[in-house]
Every structure is written in structure tokens, then in C-alpha cells.
Amino acid sequence: MTADHRPAPAIGQTVRDTHHNRLGIVTDHLGPYLRLRPLTGGREWDADPEDTEPLSPPEALRARVAEVNARSRKPRPSG
């Protein structure tokens, strides 16, 4: 449990890491920390559960749609 008595987020849950100001998906619980992966994939990072807030389903959906839209705007390599 975290300081405000919330259970730690479950694996697969989308959270906001308030310390790093990033969104991530919980991939593991390592000792006292959470392992988070960026929504678009990439390098994972550790976060203190006390510095995370779960996103509601609508917030998580908006964040994922925004990531997909941002990727679609990037130029594609020709070839």
C-alpha cells in the first residue's frame, strides 16, 4: 500500500508518474518500485508507487490515441 492507502497499480494498468511527468504501463513490481514502459514502447524506468496515479479508462484511451496520432504525423522513410 502507498502512503495514502491506495493499493499499488496492477500490472498492465496505465499510470501517470508524477515525479518524471510521464505516462507508462506497469510491467512489473520490483521490490518497493514499479517498472513502467512508455505507451509507445521503448526503455522502461522505475517509479515509486507513491509518485504514481492511475489513469481512468477514458484518460488512458485519450493518451494512447494521442500517441498513435503523434506517430502517424511523423514522416515515413521512403524506400
Side-chain angles (χ1 to χ4, degrees), residues 4-22:
D4 58 351
H5 306 294
R6 288 184 287 136
I11 291 175
Q13 188 170 8
T14 304
V15 298
R16 176 177 290 109
D17 177 350
T18 58
H19 179 76
H20 295 103
N21 196 29
R22 298 176 69 184

